[in-house]
Amino acid sequence: KNLSSKMSERSRSPRRSPARRSRSRSPHSEKRTEEEANRGNTLYVANLSFRTRESDLERVFSKYGKVLDCRLITDPRTRESRGFAFITMDDKQGAEEAVRKLDRSELDGRNITVEKSRRSRPYDPTPGKYMGPAEASTRFGGPARRYGSGRYDRADEPHD
């Protein structure tokens, strides 16, 4: 064999099987519990006006079936709407009809998006602040250390 064919054989990466798992390294990516999986009756509603309230959403979605839960997502500090919500309908048929009739419809001057949610409930809210170690001693297993003692070591003494 000539040199170029030997190099191309060596430089080939091993082929991977076509049935490969997801590249996601998230510890939660494959651990969806039955509780988190959407049974088809939870809807994600986006592009909401900041004036839209949960009562407005319940009124509009109740035309297509019983609304079990309505969660307008708000900023934890300002309590202002973040412009999206999760609606849980009583049954899958009502949810599907709401998607067909309300997706790309107008609500409070905005064209809203309505689709089946990927989860049955929103993610748990984050605390909004750093929750790491309170002090360095918990991270390194001893009292907090300062760099340098404020004194010169013999090797650090000034030379004449």
Side-chain angles (χ1 to χ4, degrees):
K1 294 182 177 181
N2 63 21
L3 183 62
S4 64
S5 66
K6 286 181 182 179
M7 287 180 65
S8 66
E9 284 178 16
R10 269 190 265 153
S11 63
R12 281 190 188 161
S13 298
R15 290 191 177 176
R16 295 186 174 126
S17 66
R20 247 192 104 181
R21 292 191 317 160
S22 167
R23 290 181 182 225
S24 173
R25 297 194 188 274
S26 168
H28 304 291
S29 63
E30 295 180 22
K31 293 183 180 180
R32 284 195 173 177
T33 64
E34 194 60 36
E35 178 185 318
E36 290 177 345
N38 187 359
R39 293 177 179 84
N41 62 335
T42 302
L43 305 176
Y44 169 73
V45 185
N47 201 30
L48 294 171
S49 167
F50 296 109
R51 295 185 315 261
T52 303
R53 301 287 166 234
E54 285 183 354
S55 58
D56 301 329
L57 292 168
E58 287 175 3
R59 178 180 43 80
V60 170
F61 280 82
S62 66
K63 295 175 185 175
Y64 305 101
K66 184 178 178 184
V67 175
L68 296 179
D69 187 34
C70 178
R71 292 189 190 186
L72 182 66
I73 307 304
T74 58
D75 183 278
R77 284 183 303 212
T78 64
R79 301 282 186 218
E80 291 179 349
S81 169
R82 293 187 57 199
F84 65 97
F86 293 93
I87 310 286
T88 304
M89 305 291 287
D90 188 34
D91 61 359
K92 189 176 178 178
Q93 292 77 20
E96 289 171 354
E97 186 178 355
V99 170
R100 280 194 307 273
K101 303 280 183 163
L102 295 175
D103 187 36
R104 297 183 180 158
S105 67
E106 187 176 322
L107 179 64
D108 290 336
R110 303 285 296 264
N111 288 330
I112 63 171
T113 300
V114 181
E115 57 190 41
K116 180 183 167 192
S117 175
R118 293 184 186 137
R119 294 170 48 98
S120 65
R121 63 183 181 84
Y123 289 102
D124 293 330
T126 58
K129 62 181 181 176
Y130 178 65
M131 300 298 289
E135 56 185 64
S137 64
T138 60
R139 196 172 11 182
F140 299 112
R145 295 182 187 172
R146 295 179 186 235
Y147 294 101
S149 61
R151 293 180 283 160
Y152 288 108
D153 291 332
R154 286 188 144 220
D156 293 334
E157 290 180 2
H159 293 69
D160 294 3

